C-alpha cells in the first residue's frame, strides 16, 4: 500500500512538472517575411504599366530570416534561400531585403547593417521605444500562444505584433522589441508586409555569434533619416514607402 501511495505521488509530481510552461531563453527562430508586391504596385496611378508589371512578377515575395537569441542579445539576419519561378525586379525588393540587426537588450542599444540604394550603412543607436498597447486577442504562431499588441511607427504607420511570454527574451524581428516576451509575428499594413515565425530551434547560442555587424558607413538613425530625406525629397509616395522600410 505504501509503495502504491509513493508511486502515485511521484506520478502527480511528474504530471505537474510536465504541465508547467517551459520558459525559453536561448535558441533560433525562423521568420517568413511576405511582401504583397501587387498591393505595392497598386499605389501607382499608371494602370497600363501597373498591369503589365503584375503579369511579370509573383503577387507575393517570400523570404526567410533567422533570429538568434539568448537572455539579453538578439541577432536578426537573412536565412535560407528558396527557389523562385518568377524573379522580382531589384527595385521592387525595397531596402530591407538583407538587413542584419544586432540588439543588446541589457544595454538598450542596437547596431544594424542596411543596404539602401546600393550603399551599405552601419547604423548604431539606442533601441527604439514604441508605445505598445497590449490587447486580449491571441493567436497561435509556431506552436506558441501569442498575445496581440499594437503600436504606431514614425507617427503614422500602424504595427500589429504578436508575442509569447514563454520565450523570455524581449526581442523580435528587425528592430522590434519592448514587449514582455519574444515577438513571433509582425504585420504592417502600410508596407503590405508580414513577418511570422515558422519554427523554433532550441540551441545553445555561443557568445561569439551574437555580435554587431561590421560592414557599412557608420551613422545614427537621425543622421541617416536626414540623408535619405534629402535624396528622396522628390519621390512622392515612393519616398514614404522606402523611408518606412529603412527604419522598420
Amino acid at each position: 500500500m505504501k509503495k502504491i501511495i509513493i508511486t502515485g505521488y511521484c506520478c502527480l509530481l511528474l504530471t505537474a512538472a510536465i504541465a508547467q510552461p517551459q520558459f525559453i531563453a536561448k535558441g533560433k527562430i525562423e521568420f517568413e517575411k511576405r511582401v504583397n508586391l501587387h498591393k505595392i504596385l497598386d499605389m501607382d496611378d499608371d494602370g497600363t504599366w501597373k498591369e503589365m508589371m503584375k503579369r511579370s512578377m509573383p503577387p507575393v515575395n517570400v523570404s526567410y530570416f533567422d533570429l538568434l537569441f539568448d537572455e539579453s542579445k538578439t541577432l536578426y539576419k537573412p536565412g535560407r534561400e528558396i527557389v523562385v519561378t518568377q524573379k522580382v525586379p531589384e527595385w521592387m525588393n525595397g531596402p530591407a531585403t538583407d538587413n542584419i540587426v544586432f540588439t543588446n537588450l541589457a544595454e538598450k542599444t542596437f547596431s544594424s547593417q542596411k543596404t539602401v540604394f546600393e550603399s551599405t550603412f552601419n547604423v548604431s543607436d539606442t533601441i527604439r521605444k514604441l508605445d505598445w498597447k497590449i490587447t486580449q486577442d491571441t493567436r497561435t504562431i509556431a506552436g506558441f500562444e501569442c498575445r496581440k499588441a499594437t503600436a504606431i511607427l514614425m507617427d503614422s504607420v500602424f504595427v500589429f505584433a504578436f508575442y509569447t511570454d514563454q520565450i523570455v527574451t524581449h526581442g523580435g524581428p528587425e528592430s522590434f522589441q519592448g514587449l514582455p516576451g519574444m515577438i513571433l509575428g509582425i504585420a504592417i499594413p502600410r508596407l503590405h508586409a508580414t513577418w511570422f515565425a515558422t519554427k523554433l530551434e532550441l540551441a545553445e547560442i555561443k557568445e561569439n555569434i551574437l555580435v554587431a555587424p561590421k560592414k557599412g558607413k557608420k551613422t545614427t538613425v537621425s543622421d541617416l533619416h536626414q540623408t535619405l530625406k534629402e535624396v528622396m525629397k522628390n519621390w512622392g509616395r515612393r519616398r514614404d514607402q522606402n523611408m518606412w522600410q529603412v527604419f522598420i
Side-chain angles (χ1 to χ4, degrees):
M1 181 67 180
K2 186 176 181 181
K3 287 183 178 180
I4 294 174
I5 293 173
I6 293 173
T7 301
Y9 181 67
C10 290
C11 288
L12 284 173
L13 290 177
L14 179 60
T15 302
I18 294 172
Q20 291 297 315
Q22 302 298 304
F23 294 105
I24 299 165
K26 293 183 180 181
K28 180 175 83 170
I29 302 169
E30 180 184 74
F31 282 90
E32 181 183 75
K33 178 184 177 183
R34 300 177 67 87
V35 180
N36 192 317
L37 302 177
H38 287 193
K39 289 288 187 181
I40 293 174
L41 284 172
D42 284 339
M43 296 170 59
D44 293 306
D45 297 326
D46 188 339
T48 304
W49 174 86
K50 178 174 61 180
E51 293 307 315
M52 181 181 68
M53 289 301 301
K54 282 183 178 181
R55 290 193 294 271
S56 68
M57 68 176 67
V60 177
N61 188 26
V62 179
S63 56
Y64 291 90
F65 288 80
D66 293 330
L67 182 69
L68 311 177
F69 66 96
D70 65 11
E71 297 93 334
S72 61
K73 299 184 183 77
T74 67
L75 179 65
Y76 174 83
K77 62 187 184 67
R80 62 185 171 100
E81 295 184 2
I82 59 174
V83 178
V84 295
T85 55
Q86 284 182 294
K87 190 174 180 180
V88 178
E90 287 192 16
W91 61 271
M92 279 295 295
N93 277 326
T97 57
D98 57 357
N99 285 354
I100 300 174
V101 185
F102 168 77
T103 305
N104 189 321
L105 297 165
E107 297 180 1
K108 301 186 184 305
T109 59
F110 81 93
S111 180
S112 62
Q113 180 180 306
K114 299 173 181 283
T115 302
V116 187
F117 313 132
E118 300 181 353
S119 296
T120 301
F121 295 91
N122 192 305
V123 187
S124 296
D125 218 316
T126 55
I127 61 176
R128 175 176 59 206
K129 184 175 175 59
L130 293 178
D131 185 18
W132 291 108
K133 307 294 184 185
I134 298 175
T135 75
Q136 297 301 313
D137 297 336
T138 61
R139 175 172 178 169
T140 300
I141 302 173
F144 293 88
E145 183 176 287
C146 299
R147 178 165 286 189
K148 181 181 176 181
T150 63
I152 298 177
L153 177 66
M154 297 181 70
D155 298 326
S156 62
V157 181
F158 281 88
V159 179
F160 300 90
F162 298 86
Y163 74 93
T164 175
D165 58 9
Q166 283 186 256
I167 303 176
V168 298
T169 306
H170 296 181
E174 296 286 355
S175 299
F176 292 104
Q177 42 69 42
L179 284 164
M182 180 64 76
I183 298 172
L184 295 184
I186 290 284
I188 307 179
R190 293 284 286 274
L191 292 180
H192 306 293
T194 60
W195 295 253
F196 280 95
T198 62
K199 62 182 177 180
L200 165 72
E201 294 179 20
L202 297 178
E204 185 67 25
I205 305 300
K206 295 181 179 179
E207 190 72 20
N208 63 351
I209 294 177
L210 295 174
V211 294
K214 305 297 184 184
K215 295 181 180 179
K217 179 183 177 181
K218 294 187 180 298
T219 186
T220 63
V221 171
S222 59
D223 287 346
L224 180 58
H225 190 275
Q226 192 60 40
T227 298
L228 296 183
K229 272 182 67 177
E230 183 62 28
V231 170
M232 297 187 289
K233 61 183 178 182
N234 297 319
W235 284 33
R237 294 179 184 177
R238 287 288 179 188
R239 180 195 63 185
D240 290 342
Q241 190 79 5
N242 279 276
M243 288 286 276
W244 297 333
Q245 288 191 60
V246 170
F247 295 105
I248 56 175

